[in-house]
Amino acid sequence: MCGIVGYIGNNAVAEELINGLKNLEYRGYDSAGVALNDNKNIDIFKAKGKLCNLCDVLNLHQKDLQNSTGGIGHIRWATHGSPTVENAHPHCSADGKLVLVHNGIIENYKELREELVKEGFAFVSQTDTETAVHLIDRTYRQTHSLEEAVLNAVKRLKGAFAFCIMHKDEPDKIIAVRKNAPLIVGLGDNENFIASDIPAVIGKVKKIIYLDDAEMAIVSKNKVEIKNFNGQLLDKKAELISFSAETISKRGYKHFMLKEICEQPDIIRNILAQRMSDVNNQIQLPQVNWNEILKKSKVEIIACGTSLHAAMVAKYFMEDLLGIPVHVEAASEYIYRKTVTDENTLTIGISQSGETADTITAVKQAQDKNAHILILTNRPDSSIVRYADSLIPLEAGIEVSVAATKSYTAQLISLYLLTLAWAERKESLTVRLQKLKQELLEIPAKLEEILSNENCIKKCSELFQKYKSFIYIARGINLPTAMEGALKLKEISYINASGYAAGELKHGPIALLDENMPVLAVLIPGTPTYDKILSNCEEAKARQAHLIAVTSSHDEHLNTIFDEIIQIPFSDEVFSPVLANVPLQLLAYHIADNLGREVDQPRNLAKSVTVE
Ligand code: AGP
């Protein structure tokens, strides 16, 4: 996904745009650009790579920037066309008078491009976005009304698009358009902002307007009009921003990722306080339609990446506590499979950002098959919520670092709460349910205990940062923990890591083992598989692999097998994924930081993948 911003007002426009883009860098950082309108000209500045490169370009033109009255900006995660300056946004019309920035994908851009090329329009980039510029310009040349030209063009576009558009001859306005990609308008005092997401305007405005799909905003310094794609004026209410400036500050941490790892105990404490104030009362999930859910005979959970790992953990305890079949699948696979989803299905879509294209498409398909759609997301204002029949907001606070950490833990807690709430509505509160609810309340303190052990994990990271590959193993409910730990390591340190079922090691991966392939094992005592996984670790030891254990066991024998042992507090196996995952987050973080990686903005990644 990309980030777009617009500013119109009396402040230094370039500065306001760069500030907004800085707070949207988690959305992509392949290239960046701004267009500035000073009532005489529109000047475009672009740079490949990080936003700081664009700042360097702007610093060379300081004197030219003083008279701008409005501008638009863009930060890119490349979809169509490599991250070159030519493909960077803003894109402009042939006469340089009309400029546009875009987040999303124009699915029918090829046919439109052919149509425009036949009419003599020359393209200078490989992007889908440039099609929109020439489409709007074609009408503008006849109507000389930017609003009319935009309304005409959007009717031809298919796919997802959030635009900010400016024209040299209409310097008093910026037009913003939303369809299947988020966009907000920040309402200031004699100035107004447009942005893909709230972090861009935190600390700048107190009130925002969320554009809904097929809506356009005509934004000037002291007026904002919202219209639908038929040009009818809409009466949209402004909402107060609930996030503070602290949300987008590192608060003294070196990286957002470390801040967000350390926030987890308080976030879980807040979630539990909201949802389960008293273990003797039913768990409160006010936006869940229990009448519908209690009728369902099967569950499918669809997600991507880290959210998919949360879904995999949920399968174990949902089937255990509810006795209902739970199918878990990557959204990108679900979309292209002939599924058996029907009116008896509860389809759970998990997405931190709520903008992941694969998950949204999959959820839409399930809804078309009459499933009941329950969405778990950290962004109740996101696109996926449009398809929710029931909703569980994660309440984890904005997650800035590209690597998902606190949102994963919040997903697990929310899935535990959903399952326990379902179980206590299906039957009276059994002793086991009561015990599990009580133990859930103890998790924040146990997370704090793990975080207090960070130096041990940091030492472990120094010992193991030299390796080029890792294997993570676990069994049962912690198999997804191994997979998530491996994903965290590879996505921020660029070290290859794979998560395997420990029982599968001997069926192939064991061929990889030698003194250069460390094995990290998650093992929980008192479980049916503890002895088995210990044997797997001994098999790995026999092949000279160096071993790390993440365990709540204090068995002395472990010292004869493992080179490093990372202790976690004891818990019921059901909750062990929450506890075992945090050391893996910290291990990945410290290895990546030791290697000097861009921890919060790893190469090639973006916080949400809004393309299939
Ligand atoms: C996790 O660290 C990654 N950033 C990525 O796998 C992410 O979990 C995935 O893209 C799904 O994102 P979502 O939860 O916003 O849908």
Side-chain angles (χ1 to χ4, degrees):
M1 72 182 170
C2 304
I4 66 175
V5 293
Y7 175 76
I8 192 156
N10 299 325
N11 287 353
V13 176
E15 212 172 288
E16 293 294 350
L17 296 176
I18 292 297
N19 174 67
L21 292 177
K22 268 201 178 76
N23 291 314
L24 295 182
E25 268 195 295
Y26 64 88
R27 301 174 69 88
Y29 26 86
D30 290 336
S31 63
V34 294
L36 305 169
N37 196 342
D38 64 1
N39 293 342
K40 290 195 298 299
N41 287 306
I42 287 189
D43 294 315
I44 295 178
F45 303 91
K46 302 182 188 183
K48 188 178 166 191
K50 294 266 181 207
L51 186 59
C52 54
N53 299 341
L54 176 63
C55 295
D56 293 345
V57 169
L58 290 171
N59 287 337
L60 297 174
H61 297 81
Q62 271 305 339
K63 63 180 182 352
D64 307 332
L65 310 181
Q66 303 313 318
N67 304 321
S68 312
T69 54
I72 59 177
H74 185 272
I75 197 149
R76 186 172 185 241
W77 185 74
T79 54
H80 293 77
S82 53
T84 60
V85 171
E86 293 71 27
N87 289 330
H89 302 205
H91 289 284
C92 69
S93 55
D95 61 9
K97 291 184 177 181
L98 190 149
V99 288
L100 172 147
V101 290
H102 168 219
N103 174 36
I105 288 274
I106 296 170
E107 290 168 358
N108 60 332
Y109 80 97
K110 286 199 176 86
E111 65 190 77
L112 292 170
R113 184 175 176 127
E114 282 163 19
E115 180 187 315
L116 290 160
V117 166
K118 279 189 191 129
E119 291 180 20
F121 284 87
F123 282 72
V124 297
S125 80
Q126 307 151 310
T127 66
D128 54 329
T129 304
E130 195 181 352
T131 306
V133 174
H134 298 312
L135 203 60
I136 297 168
D137 186 41
R138 181 172 68 176
T139 306
Y140 188 85
R141 292 180 187 189
Q142 293 149 15
T143 63
H144 295 286
S145 155
L146 187 58
E147 187 178 324
E148 206 175 319
V150 171
L151 286 175
N152 180 287
V154 293
K155 292 182 174 71
R156 294 288 311 278
L157 299 176
K158 293 190 184 118
F161 46 89
F163 296 137
C164 285
I165 308 157
M166 277 193 320
H167 197 284
K168 172 185 167 297
D169 298 340
E170 300 185 30
D172 63 335
K173 69 169 73 84
I174 298 172
I175 288 195
V177 172
R178 170 185 172 155
K179 186 166 183 287
N180 296 335
L183 204 56
I184 60 173
V185 178
L187 305 176
D189 179 10
N190 214 22
E191 62 179 4
N192 287 307
F193 300 75
I194 303 158
S196 296
D197 198 0
I198 290 174
V201 299
I202 286 181
K204 292 289 178 185
V205 298
K206 291 187 172 43
K207 286 188 172 181
I208 57 174
I209 293 174
Y210 289 99
L211 288 188
D212 287 314
D213 273 351
E215 289 184 354
M216 169 175 79
I218 300 98
V219 182
S220 55
K221 203 162 63 167
N222 38 37
K223 187 179 170 191
V224 175
E225 286 185 316
I226 312 285
K227 298 185 176 180
N228 62 23
F229 280 5
N230 296 322
Q232 292 152 330
L233 203 54
L234 302 173
D235 179 17
K236 301 274 290 188
K237 68 176 177 37
E239 303 190 28
L240 285 171
I241 290 186
S242 56
F243 298 111
S244 69
E246 199 177 70
T247 304
I248 52 171
S249 87
K250 291 179 193 167
R251 273 208 345 252
Y253 288 94
K254 186 175 180 183
H255 296 104
F256 279 108
M257 184 177 175
L258 188 56
K259 172 194 168 195
E260 288 156 2
I261 289 172
C262 296
E263 281 177 337
Q264 292 178 115
D266 285 342
I267 283 165
I268 303 315
R269 205 170 267 119
N270 293 338
I271 292 170
L272 295 173
Q274 272 188 62
R275 307 274 189 234
M276 194 170 73
S277 49
D278 173 355
V279 288
N280 299 311
N281 294 336
Q282 284 196 334
I283 288 166
Q284 297 307 307
L285 296 171
Q287 298 178 74
V288 166
N289 181 339
W290 289 111
N291 291 335
E292 280 303 314
I293 286 182
L294 291 171
K295 286 189 271 185
K296 301 307 174 192
S297 58
K298 58 188 175 185
V299 178
E300 58 187 15
I301 315 179
I302 309 165
C304 302
T306 289
S307 299
L308 178 60
H309 297 150
M312 292 169 72
V313 171
K315 172 185 172 67
Y316 285 90
F317 60 77
M318 289 184 87
E319 290 188 339
D320 174 8
L321 290 174
L322 301 173
I324 291 179
V326 178
H327 170 71
V328 174
E329 192 165 6
S332 53
E333 290 297 309
Y334 180 92
I335 295 167
Y336 299 103
R337 189 172 62 79
K338 190 163 172 28
T339 63
V340 293
T341 307
D342 61 17
E343 65 284 354
N344 299 313
T345 309
L346 169 67
T347 299
I348 301 175
I350 306 177
S351 176
Q352 186 285 130
S353 63
E355 299 297 344
T356 299
D358 287 331
T359 309
I360 292 173
T361 302
V363 159
K364 267 193 290 187
Q365 279 186 11
Q367 189 167 66
D368 292 344
K369 293 192 169 185
N370 302 315
H372 185 83
I373 306 298
L374 166 59
I375 297 299
L376 271 70
T377 183
N378 200 31
R379 302 304 302 270
D381 56 336
S382 63
S383 303
I384 201 170
V385 174
R386 191 178 317 124
Y387 306 99
D389 300 309
S390 291
L391 176 68
I392 300 180
L394 295 179
E395 310 282 359
I398 289 185
E399 186 172 68
V400 176
S401 189
V402 165
T405 51
K406 64 177 184 174
S407 62
Y408 177 70
T409 301
Q411 285 168 355
L412 291 180
I413 297 297
S414 300
L415 289 159
Y416 290 136
L417 289 166
L418 169 69
T419 307
L420 291 167
W422 191 339
E424 65 185 3
R425 284 165 175 78
K426 268 184 76 171
E427 57 188 276
S428 60
L429 197 53
T430 64
V431 170
R432 185 181 181 210
L433 284 182
Q434 183 78 8
K435 183 178 169 299
L436 287 174
K437 287 172 74 173
Q438 184 54 51
E439 187 156 343
L440 202 47
L441 291 172
E442 296 162 10
I443 283 186
K446 290 180 177 178
L447 291 177
E448 278 163 347
E449 188 182 329
I450 293 165
L451 291 171
S452 68
N453 193 27
E454 182 182 356
N455 284 336
C456 159
I457 298 163
K458 203 168 172 180
K459 184 170 79 64
C460 187
S461 73
E462 287 153 10
L463 293 172
F464 282 84
Q465 71 185 57
K466 62 178 183 287
Y467 292 101
K468 301 301 176 217
S469 276
F470 280 74
I471 284 184
Y472 286 55
I473 60 172
R475 283 179 179 248
I477 198 169
N478 277 302
L479 169 55
T481 308
M483 296 170 74
E484 172 57 16
L487 174 63
K488 279 287 108 26
L489 182 68
K490 61 187 152 196
E491 71 173 325
I492 65 173
S493 72
Y494 317 150
I495 293 173
N496 182 34
S498 301
Y500 288 110
E504 279 298 290
L505 207 54
K506 56 189 177 293
H507 297 289
I510 200 165
L512 293 170
L513 298 192
D514 59 24
E515 65 282 3
N516 300 313
M517 177 68 82
V519 172
L520 184 146
V522 177
L523 51 164
I524 307 299
T527 58
T529 58
Y530 179 76
D531 292 334
K532 283 277 187 273
I533 193 167
L534 219 43
S535 309
N536 301 139
C537 293
E538 286 178 300
E539 288 156 13
K541 182 95 183 158
R543 274 83 185 170
Q544 283 74 49
H546 296 166
L547 284 140
I548 305 170
V550 173
T551 182
S552 51
S553 167
H554 293 278
D555 176 351
E556 278 302 313
H557 174 58
L558 298 184
N559 293 309
T560 64
I561 302 171
F562 295 96
D563 301 85
E564 289 294 321
I565 297 174
I566 300 172
Q567 291 289 349
I568 58 172
F570 179 76
S571 78
D572 186 296
E573 186 185 20
V574 162
F575 300 130
S576 59
V578 179
L579 303 181
N581 178 57
V582 174
L584 304 186
Q585 293 172 341
L586 287 170
L587 183 67
Y589 170 78
H590 284 297
I591 288 178
D593 187 36
N594 296 346
L595 295 175
R597 303 295 192 224
E598 295 266 5
V599 170
D600 283 330
Q601 296 164 13
R603 67 186 180 195
N604 307 335
L605 292 180
K607 186 59 183 170
S608 174
V609 183
T610 53
V611 294
E612 282 186 28

